[in-house]
mmCIF file of all heavy atoms in Angstrom:
data_model
loop_
_atom_site.group_PDB
_atom_site.id
_atom_site.type_symbol
_atom_site.label_atom_id
_atom_site.label_comp_id
_atom_site.label_asym_id
_atom_site.label_seq_id
_atom_site.Cartn_x
_atom_site.Cartn_y
_atom_site.Cartn_z
ATOM 1 N N LEU W 189 -31.864 -130.951 -85.757
ATOM 2 C CA LEU W 189 -31.270 -131.199 -84.525
ATOM 3 C C LEU W 189 -31.682 -130.275 -83.324
ATOM 4 O O LEU W 189 -31.766 -130.666 -82.171
ATOM 5 C CB LEU W 189 -29.636 -131.221 -84.663
ATOM 6 C CG LEU W 189 -28.885 -131.642 -83.465
ATOM 7 C CD1 LEU W 189 -29.240 -133.090 -83.105
ATOM 8 C CD2 LEU W 189 -27.473 -131.587 -83.709
ATOM 9 N N VAL W 267 -32.012 -143.696 -66.061
ATOM 10 C CA VAL W 267 -31.859 -142.265 -66.294
ATOM 11 C C VAL W 267 -31.494 -141.987 -67.843
ATOM 12 O O VAL W 267 -32.077 -141.082 -68.396
ATOM 13 C CB VAL W 267 -30.798 -141.763 -65.442
ATOM 14 C CG1 VAL W 267 -30.419 -140.263 -65.765
ATOM 15 C CG2 VAL W 267 -31.271 -141.896 -64.050
ATOM 16 N N ASN W 268 -30.660 -142.771 -68.338
ATOM 17 C CA ASN W 268 -30.325 -142.596 -69.818
ATOM 18 C C ASN W 268 -31.600 -142.751 -70.665
ATOM 19 O O ASN W 268 -31.648 -141.920 -71.585
ATOM 20 C CB ASN W 268 -29.321 -143.837 -70.305
ATOM 21 C CG ASN W 268 -27.881 -143.456 -70.079
ATOM 22 O OD1 ASN W 268 -27.519 -142.273 -70.566
ATOM 23 N ND2 ASN W 268 -27.033 -144.299 -69.425
ATOM 24 N N GLN W 269 -32.447 -143.662 -70.288
ATOM 25 C CA GLN W 269 -33.554 -143.880 -71.039
ATOM 26 C C GLN W 269 -34.628 -142.803 -71.054
ATOM 27 O O GLN W 269 -35.220 -142.240 -71.976
ATOM 28 C CB GLN W 269 -34.363 -145.323 -70.736
ATOM 29 C CG GLN W 269 -35.573 -145.576 -71.732
ATOM 30 C CD GLN W 269 -35.094 -145.719 -73.174
ATOM 31 O OE1 GLN W 269 -34.075 -146.464 -73.431
ATOM 32 N NE2 GLN W 269 -35.795 -145.026 -74.059
ATOM 33 N N ARG W 270 -34.664 -142.261 -69.770
ATOM 34 C CA ARG W 270 -35.648 -141.046 -69.471
ATOM 35 C C ARG W 270 -35.175 -139.854 -70.318
ATOM 36 O O ARG W 270 -35.930 -139.150 -70.779
ATOM 37 C CB ARG W 270 -35.674 -140.791 -67.990
ATOM 38 C CG ARG W 270 -36.773 -139.732 -67.672
ATOM 39 C CD ARG W 270 -37.048 -139.603 -66.231
ATOM 40 N NE ARG W 270 -37.486 -140.727 -65.732
ATOM 41 C CZ ARG W 270 -37.612 -141.054 -64.406
ATOM 42 N NH1 ARG W 270 -37.246 -140.051 -63.558
ATOM 43 N NH2 ARG W 270 -37.867 -142.253 -63.892
ATOM 44 N N ILE W 271 -33.769 -139.709 -70.322
ATOM 45 C CA ILE W 271 -33.293 -138.515 -71.135
ATOM 46 C C ILE W 271 -33.597 -138.751 -72.601
ATOM 47 O O ILE W 271 -33.946 -137.771 -73.246
ATOM 48 C CB ILE W 271 -31.669 -138.312 -70.796
ATOM 49 C CG1 ILE W 271 -31.495 -137.954 -69.342
ATOM 50 C CG2 ILE W 271 -31.077 -137.252 -71.657
ATOM 51 C CD1 ILE W 271 -30.004 -137.828 -68.839
ATOM 52 N N ALA W 272 -33.308 -140.087 -73.096
ATOM 53 C CA ALA W 272 -33.554 -140.240 -74.422
ATOM 54 C C ALA W 272 -35.042 -139.882 -74.814
ATOM 55 O O ALA W 272 -35.389 -139.399 -75.895
ATOM 56 C CB ALA W 272 -33.143 -141.680 -74.845
ATOM 57 N N ASP W 273 -35.868 -140.440 -73.888
ATOM 58 C CA ASP W 273 -37.283 -140.209 -74.184
ATOM 59 C C ASP W 273 -37.753 -138.765 -74.160
ATOM 60 O O ASP W 273 -38.583 -138.301 -74.953
ATOM 61 C CB ASP W 273 -38.113 -140.885 -73.170
ATOM 62 C CG ASP W 273 -38.111 -142.501 -73.189
ATOM 63 O OD1 ASP W 273 -37.683 -142.948 -74.300
ATOM 64 O OD2 ASP W 273 -38.434 -143.124 -72.220
ATOM 65 N N ALA W 274 -37.146 -137.947 -73.337
ATOM 66 C CA ALA W 274 -37.300 -136.531 -73.194
ATOM 67 C C ALA W 274 -36.908 -135.774 -74.443
ATOM 68 O O ALA W 274 -37.607 -134.801 -74.768
ATOM 69 C CB ALA W 274 -36.817 -136.032 -72.049
ATOM 70 N N THR W 275 -35.749 -136.174 -74.986
ATOM 71 C CA THR W 275 -35.117 -135.348 -76.042
ATOM 72 C C THR W 275 -35.449 -136.017 -77.374
ATOM 73 O O THR W 275 -35.554 -135.171 -78.447
ATOM 74 C CB THR W 275 -33.608 -135.439 -75.977
ATOM 75 O OG1 THR W 275 -33.204 -136.733 -75.963
ATOM 76 C CG2 THR W 275 -33.188 -134.760 -74.520
ATOM 77 N N GLY W 276 -35.734 -137.275 -77.503
ATOM 78 C CA GLY W 276 -35.890 -137.908 -78.890
ATOM 79 C C GLY W 276 -34.696 -138.088 -79.599
ATOM 80 O O GLY W 276 -34.572 -138.476 -80.714
ATOM 81 N N LEU W 277 -33.513 -137.803 -78.999
ATOM 82 C CA LEU W 277 -32.222 -137.913 -79.528
ATOM 83 C C LEU W 277 -31.728 -139.388 -79.660
ATOM 84 O O LEU W 277 -32.061 -140.173 -78.599
ATOM 85 C CB LEU W 277 -31.150 -137.077 -78.905
ATOM 86 C CG LEU W 277 -31.373 -135.518 -79.007
ATOM 87 C CD1 LEU W 277 -30.445 -134.808 -78.011
ATOM 88 C CD2 LEU W 277 -31.067 -135.249 -80.348
ATOM 89 N N ASN W 278 -31.027 -139.818 -80.608
ATOM 90 C CA ASN W 278 -30.570 -141.168 -80.726
ATOM 91 C C ASN W 278 -29.582 -141.472 -79.667
ATOM 92 O O ASN W 278 -28.669 -140.800 -79.511
ATOM 93 C CB ASN W 278 -30.001 -141.411 -82.144
ATOM 94 C CG ASN W 278 -29.662 -142.845 -82.440
ATOM 95 O OD1 ASN W 278 -29.343 -143.670 -81.489
ATOM 96 N ND2 ASN W 278 -29.691 -143.155 -83.703
ATOM 97 N N PRO W 279 -29.813 -142.496 -78.786
ATOM 98 C CA PRO W 279 -28.898 -142.736 -77.626
ATOM 99 C C PRO W 279 -27.514 -143.080 -78.179
ATOM 100 O O PRO W 279 -26.582 -142.773 -77.353
ATOM 101 C CB PRO W 279 -29.619 -144.081 -77.091
ATOM 102 C CG PRO W 279 -30.975 -144.023 -77.504
ATOM 103 C CD PRO W 279 -31.073 -143.383 -78.769
ATOM 104 N N ALA W 280 -27.390 -143.562 -79.425
ATOM 105 C CA ALA W 280 -26.120 -143.818 -79.943
ATOM 106 C C ALA W 280 -25.209 -142.523 -80.004
ATOM 107 O O ALA W 280 -24.036 -142.550 -80.214
ATOM 108 C CB ALA W 280 -26.004 -144.423 -81.317
ATOM 109 N N TRP W 281 -25.796 -141.266 -80.076
ATOM 110 C CA TRP W 281 -25.146 -140.018 -80.121
ATOM 111 C C TRP W 281 -24.706 -139.515 -78.837
ATOM 112 O O TRP W 281 -24.104 -138.472 -78.704
ATOM 113 C CB TRP W 281 -26.025 -138.960 -80.961
ATOM 114 C CG TRP W 281 -26.216 -139.371 -82.327
ATOM 115 C CD1 TRP W 281 -26.220 -140.569 -82.830
ATOM 116 C CD2 TRP W 281 -26.443 -138.481 -83.440
ATOM 117 N NE1 TRP W 281 -26.482 -140.608 -84.303
ATOM 118 C CE2 TRP W 281 -26.690 -139.277 -84.491
ATOM 119 C CE3 TRP W 281 -26.836 -137.170 -83.481
ATOM 120 C CZ2 TRP W 281 -26.965 -138.672 -85.780
ATOM 121 C CZ3 TRP W 281 -27.119 -136.646 -84.714
ATOM 122 C CH2 TRP W 281 -27.216 -137.305 -85.897
ATOM 123 N N GLY W 282 -25.112 -140.157 -77.666
ATOM 124 C CA GLY W 282 -24.922 -139.714 -76.417
ATOM 125 C C GLY W 282 -23.501 -140.169 -75.822
ATOM 126 O O GLY W 282 -23.237 -141.521 -75.965
ATOM 127 N N GLU W 283 -22.837 -139.395 -74.961
ATOM 128 C CA GLU W 283 -21.823 -139.792 -74.177
ATOM 129 C C GLU W 283 -22.373 -140.537 -73.018
ATOM 130 O O GLU W 283 -23.463 -140.173 -72.533
ATOM 131 C CB GLU W 283 -20.884 -138.700 -73.924
ATOM 132 C CG GLU W 283 -20.189 -137.940 -74.968
ATOM 133 C CD GLU W 283 -19.421 -136.781 -74.638
ATOM 134 O OE1 GLU W 283 -18.759 -136.832 -73.545
ATOM 135 O OE2 GLU W 283 -19.270 -135.794 -75.350
ATOM 136 N N ARG W 317 -15.888 -138.367 -83.883
ATOM 137 C CA ARG W 317 -16.918 -138.486 -82.915
ATOM 138 C C ARG W 317 -17.886 -137.226 -82.836
ATOM 139 O O ARG W 317 -18.918 -137.307 -82.269
ATOM 140 C CB ARG W 317 -16.318 -138.742 -81.555
ATOM 141 C CG ARG W 317 -15.639 -139.925 -81.253
ATOM 142 C CD ARG W 317 -15.015 -140.137 -79.977
ATOM 143 N NE ARG W 317 -13.873 -139.118 -79.699
ATOM 144 C CZ ARG W 317 -13.283 -139.006 -78.512
ATOM 145 N NH1 ARG W 317 -13.688 -139.792 -77.413
ATOM 146 N NH2 ARG W 317 -12.253 -138.165 -78.397
ATOM 147 N N GLY W 318 -17.499 -136.246 -83.690
ATOM 148 C CA GLY W 318 -18.266 -135.105 -83.797
ATOM 149 C C GLY W 318 -18.309 -134.026 -82.698
ATOM 150 O O GLY W 318 -17.565 -134.338 -81.716
ATOM 151 N N GLN W 319 -19.007 -132.945 -82.876
ATOM 152 C CA GLN W 319 -19.003 -131.838 -81.989
ATOM 153 C C GLN W 319 -20.239 -132.132 -80.993
ATOM 154 O O GLN W 319 -21.099 -132.813 -81.250
ATOM 155 C CB GLN W 319 -19.492 -130.563 -82.808
ATOM 156 C CG GLN W 319 -19.427 -129.305 -81.954
ATOM 157 C CD GLN W 319 -18.190 -129.003 -81.347
ATOM 158 O OE1 GLN W 319 -17.881 -129.374 -80.270
ATOM 159 N NE2 GLN W 319 -17.409 -128.036 -81.954
ATOM 160 N N ARG W 320 -19.975 -131.517 -79.805
ATOM 161 C CA ARG W 320 -21.103 -131.709 -78.765
ATOM 162 C C ARG W 320 -22.148 -130.713 -79.260
ATOM 163 O O ARG W 320 -21.962 -129.552 -79.510
ATOM 164 C CB ARG W 320 -20.570 -131.227 -77.334
ATOM 165 C CG ARG W 320 -19.830 -132.285 -76.785
ATOM 166 C CD ARG W 320 -19.272 -131.966 -75.251
ATOM 167 N NE ARG W 320 -18.729 -133.084 -74.600
ATOM 168 C CZ ARG W 320 -17.903 -132.927 -73.466
ATOM 169 N NH1 ARG W 320 -17.632 -131.747 -73.034
ATOM 170 N NH2 ARG W 320 -17.499 -133.979 -72.922
ATOM 171 N N SER W 321 -23.314 -131.300 -79.206
ATOM 172 C CA SER W 321 -24.580 -130.463 -79.570
ATOM 173 C C SER W 321 -25.275 -130.051 -78.290
ATOM 174 O O SER W 321 -25.148 -129.089 -77.632
ATOM 175 C CB SER W 321 -25.337 -131.170 -80.623
ATOM 176 O OG SER W 321 -25.832 -132.491 -80.111
ATOM 177 N N TRP W 322 -26.125 -131.054 -77.897
ATOM 178 C CA TRP W 322 -26.996 -130.757 -76.676
ATOM 179 C C TRP W 322 -26.345 -131.173 -75.362
ATOM 180 O O TRP W 322 -25.550 -132.142 -75.254
ATOM 181 C CB TRP W 322 -28.329 -131.460 -76.843
ATOM 182 C CG TRP W 322 -29.183 -130.954 -77.687
ATOM 183 C CD1 TRP W 322 -29.438 -131.242 -79.018
ATOM 184 C CD2 TRP W 322 -30.295 -129.897 -77.469
ATOM 185 N NE1 TRP W 322 -30.336 -130.406 -79.776
ATOM 186 C CE2 TRP W 322 -30.832 -129.602 -78.799
ATOM 187 C CE3 TRP W 322 -30.533 -129.096 -76.371
ATOM 188 C CZ2 TRP W 322 -31.742 -128.708 -78.896
ATOM 189 C CZ3 TRP W 322 -31.513 -128.115 -76.505
ATOM 190 C CH2 TRP W 322 -32.136 -128.003 -77.751
ATOM 191 N N THR W 323 -26.443 -130.452 -74.346
ATOM 192 C CA THR W 323 -26.106 -130.753 -73.012
ATOM 193 C C THR W 323 -27.364 -130.944 -72.114
ATOM 194 O O THR W 323 -28.299 -130.208 -72.176
ATOM 195 C CB THR W 323 -25.261 -129.493 -72.263
ATOM 196 O OG1 THR W 323 -23.986 -129.459 -72.977
ATOM 197 C CG2 THR W 323 -25.116 -129.948 -70.867
ATOM 198 N N PHE W 324 -27.424 -132.128 -71.329
ATOM 199 C CA PHE W 324 -28.476 -132.420 -70.469
ATOM 200 C C PHE W 324 -27.969 -132.450 -69.160
ATOM 201 O O PHE W 324 -27.377 -133.557 -68.752
ATOM 202 C CB PHE W 324 -29.320 -133.603 -70.858
ATOM 203 C CG PHE W 324 -30.770 -133.676 -70.374
ATOM 204 C CD1 PHE W 324 -31.839 -133.562 -71.308
ATOM 205 C CD2 PHE W 324 -30.973 -133.933 -69.193
ATOM 206 C CE1 PHE W 324 -33.066 -133.701 -70.946
ATOM 207 C CE2 PHE W 324 -32.245 -134.125 -68.645
ATOM 208 C CZ PHE W 324 -33.304 -133.953 -69.503
ATOM 209 N N ILE W 355 -31.143 -127.906 -69.830
ATOM 210 C CA ILE W 355 -30.937 -128.436 -71.225
ATOM 211 C C ILE W 355 -30.606 -127.335 -72.105
ATOM 212 O O ILE W 355 -31.436 -126.379 -72.177
ATOM 213 C CB ILE W 355 -32.067 -129.370 -71.711
ATOM 214 C CG1 ILE W 355 -32.626 -130.261 -70.674
ATOM 215 C CG2 ILE W 355 -31.759 -129.998 -73.052
ATOM 216 C CD1 ILE W 355 -33.854 -129.950 -69.989
ATOM 217 N N ASN W 358 -25.556 -126.367 -77.579
ATOM 218 C CA ASN W 358 -24.251 -125.629 -77.725
ATOM 219 C C ASN W 358 -24.089 -125.010 -79.108
ATOM 220 O O ASN W 358 -23.075 -124.437 -79.354
ATOM 221 C CB ASN W 358 -23.188 -126.695 -77.414
ATOM 222 C CG ASN W 358 -23.226 -127.082 -75.908
ATOM 223 O OD1 ASN W 358 -22.937 -126.352 -75.093
ATOM 224 N ND2 ASN W 358 -23.545 -128.423 -75.742
ATOM 225 N N LEU W 359 -24.881 -125.342 -80.042
ATOM 226 C CA LEU W 359 -24.737 -124.968 -81.493
ATOM 227 C C LEU W 359 -25.717 -124.022 -81.949
ATOM 228 O O LEU W 359 -27.013 -124.022 -81.348
ATOM 229 C CB LEU W 359 -24.744 -126.253 -82.354
ATOM 230 C CG LEU W 359 -23.734 -127.256 -82.033
ATOM 231 C CD1 LEU W 359 -23.909 -128.480 -82.925
ATOM 232 C CD2 LEU W 359 -22.327 -126.700 -82.059
ATOM 233 N N LYS W 386 -25.115 -135.217 -69.329
ATOM 234 C CA LYS W 386 -25.108 -136.081 -70.477
ATOM 235 C C LYS W 386 -24.922 -135.074 -71.597
ATOM 236 O O LYS W 386 -25.720 -134.363 -71.929
ATOM 237 C CB LYS W 386 -26.349 -136.970 -70.647
ATOM 238 C CG LYS W 386 -26.114 -138.027 -71.742
ATOM 239 C CD LYS W 386 -27.240 -138.987 -71.741
ATOM 240 C CE LYS W 386 -26.972 -140.156 -72.835
ATOM 241 N NZ LYS W 386 -25.888 -140.944 -72.408
ATOM 242 N N TRP W 387 -23.850 -135.408 -72.450
ATOM 243 C CA TRP W 387 -23.679 -134.685 -73.628
ATOM 244 C C TRP W 387 -23.980 -135.457 -74.778
ATOM 245 O O TRP W 387 -23.749 -136.824 -74.843
ATOM 246 C CB TRP W 387 -22.183 -134.236 -73.650
ATOM 247 C CG TRP W 387 -21.673 -133.206 -72.716
ATOM 248 C CD1 TRP W 387 -22.050 -131.914 -72.556
ATOM 249 C CD2 TRP W 387 -20.845 -133.509 -71.578
ATOM 250 N NE1 TRP W 387 -21.412 -131.289 -71.580
ATOM 251 C CE2 TRP W 387 -20.704 -132.227 -70.816
ATOM 252 C CE3 TRP W 387 -20.223 -134.691 -71.017
ATOM 253 C CZ2 TRP W 387 -19.957 -132.200 -69.677
ATOM 254 C CZ3 TRP W 387 -19.529 -134.529 -69.896
ATOM 255 C CH2 TRP W 387 -19.289 -133.345 -69.259
ATOM 256 N N TYR W 388 -24.503 -134.811 -75.854
ATOM 257 C CA TYR W 388 -24.838 -135.479 -77.017
ATOM 258 C C TYR W 388 -23.973 -134.844 -78.147
ATOM 259 O O TYR W 388 -23.610 -133.593 -78.132
ATOM 260 C CB TYR W 388 -26.287 -135.200 -77.468
ATOM 261 C CG TYR W 388 -27.282 -136.167 -76.792
ATOM 262 C CD1 TYR W 388 -27.697 -135.790 -75.597
ATOM 263 C CD2 TYR W 388 -27.598 -137.454 -77.154
ATOM 264 C CE1 TYR W 388 -28.657 -136.681 -74.796
ATOM 265 C CE2 TYR W 388 -28.516 -138.307 -76.640
ATOM 266 C CZ TYR W 388 -28.913 -137.803 -75.348
ATOM 267 O OH TYR W 388 -29.844 -138.666 -74.700
ATOM 268 N N ARG W 389 -23.526 -135.563 -79.140
ATOM 269 C CA ARG W 389 -22.747 -135.313 -80.318
ATOM 270 C C ARG W 389 -23.654 -134.948 -81.568
ATOM 271 O O ARG W 389 -24.837 -135.330 -81.557
ATOM 272 C CB ARG W 389 -21.616 -136.347 -80.617
ATOM 273 C CG ARG W 389 -20.728 -136.634 -79.381
ATOM 274 C CD ARG W 389 -19.898 -135.440 -79.091
ATOM 275 N NE ARG W 389 -18.820 -135.718 -78.042
ATOM 276 C CZ ARG W 389 -17.539 -135.917 -78.232
ATOM 277 N NH1 ARG W 389 -17.112 -135.657 -79.486
ATOM 278 N NH2 ARG W 389 -16.756 -136.232 -77.248
ATOM 279 N N ASP W 390 -22.982 -134.547 -82.681
ATOM 280 C CA ASP W 390 -23.824 -134.262 -83.791
ATOM 281 C C ASP W 390 -23.722 -135.493 -84.768
ATOM 282 O O ASP W 390 -24.129 -135.317 -85.994
ATOM 283 C CB ASP W 390 -23.505 -132.993 -84.483
ATOM 284 C CG ASP W 390 -21.983 -132.849 -84.903
ATOM 285 O OD1 ASP W 390 -21.244 -133.948 -84.638
ATOM 286 O OD2 ASP W 390 -21.690 -131.891 -85.543
ATOM 287 N N ARG W 391 -23.165 -136.642 -84.363
ATOM 288 C CA ARG W 391 -23.141 -137.828 -85.056
ATOM 289 C C ARG W 391 -22.897 -138.898 -83.989
ATOM 290 O O ARG W 391 -22.500 -138.680 -82.826
ATOM 291 C CB ARG W 391 -21.917 -137.810 -86.074
ATOM 292 C CG ARG W 391 -20.504 -137.587 -85.464
ATOM 293 C CD ARG W 391 -19.626 -137.167 -86.601
ATOM 294 N NE ARG W 391 -19.878 -135.774 -86.893
ATOM 295 C CZ ARG W 391 -19.196 -135.090 -87.726
ATOM 296 N NH1 ARG W 391 -18.226 -135.695 -88.562
ATOM 297 N NH2 ARG W 391 -19.474 -133.878 -88.105
ATOM 298 N N TYR W 393 -21.559 -141.398 -81.383
ATOM 299 C CA TYR W 393 -20.372 -141.176 -80.490
ATOM 300 C C TYR W 393 -19.806 -142.674 -80.325
ATOM 301 O O TYR W 393 -20.442 -143.517 -79.943
ATOM 302 C CB TYR W 393 -20.795 -140.615 -79.068
ATOM 303 C CG TYR W 393 -19.674 -140.564 -78.280
ATOM 304 C CD1 TYR W 393 -18.785 -139.479 -78.145
ATOM 305 C CD2 TYR W 393 -19.578 -141.635 -77.216
ATOM 306 C CE1 TYR W 393 -17.778 -139.527 -77.167
ATOM 307 C CE2 TYR W 393 -18.573 -141.497 -76.244
ATOM 308 C CZ TYR W 393 -17.683 -140.614 -76.297
ATOM 309 O OH TYR W 393 -16.661 -140.447 -75.426
#
Side-chain angles (χ1 to χ4, degrees):
L189 184 59
V267 174
N268 270 312
Q269 188 60 54
R270 189 172 301 170
I271 293 173
D273 291 343
T275 62
L277 292 167
N278 189 333
W281 293 25
E283 297 182 32
R317 293 182 292 175
Q319 180 63 273
R320 277 180 174 163
S321 54
W322 286 93
T323 295
F324 201 110
I355 309 107
N358 295 289
L359 305 179
K386 188 173 185 69
W387 293 286
Y388 283 88
R389 301 297 184 104
D390 60 2
R391 62 198 72 184
Y393 175 81

